[in-house]
Amino acid sequence: MANHKSSIKRIRQIKTRSLRNRYGAKTMRNAVKTLRGTSDKAEAETLYPKVCSMLDRLAKKNVIHKNKAGNLKSKLARHVHTLA
């Protein structure tokens, strides 16, 4: 157990941040999975900007790497473009 007040506070902060990061990452994975599973072009075109925005926000907060966000956005754009 931590002995200093600052380390006790740090533990509380880390716990809060890790919960928030886990929630954001899981939400992102679900959104990407939903968009990939969509076969309707109109629905995919409305979902795509929301998912891209979410990816950019998570990359900005260092929950995911910026290159991972770029790769996912690229693959999703290709998927939306190929829908008939």
Side-chain angles (χ1 to χ4, degrees):
M1 184 61 198
N3 292 324
H4 296 280
K5 275 190 172 185
S6 62
S7 57
I8 293 169
K9 180 179 178 181
R10 179 68 59 199
I11 289 169
R12 282 198 319 265
Q13 288 175 333
I14 289 169
K15 201 179 297 183
T16 305
R17 284 191 191 124
S18 65
L19 279 173
R20 193 176 300 137
N21 289 344
R22 199 170 8 160
Y23 172 78
K26 183 68 175 174
T27 307
M28 179 256 321
R29 284 196 302 270
N30 288 337
V32 168
K33 193 184 295 184
T34 304
L35 184 54
R36 280 197 181 127
T38 304
S39 57
D40 181 29
K41 189 168 179 85
E43 184 183 349
E45 284 178 342
T46 57
L47 273 176
Y48 178 70
K50 294 176 184 174
V51 174
C52 283
S53 173
M54 182 186 299
L55 289 168
D56 287 335
R57 268 184 280 132
L58 291 173
K60 181 180 175 185
K61 294 178 181 177
N62 291 322
V63 176
I64 59 172
H65 196 272
K66 64 177 184 172
N67 290 351
K68 180 178 177 71
N71 287 335
L72 284 171
K73 285 174 15 179
S74 172
K75 289 175 185 171
L76 290 173
R78 196 176 323 132
H79 171 71
V80 171
H81 183 70
T82 57
L83 291 174

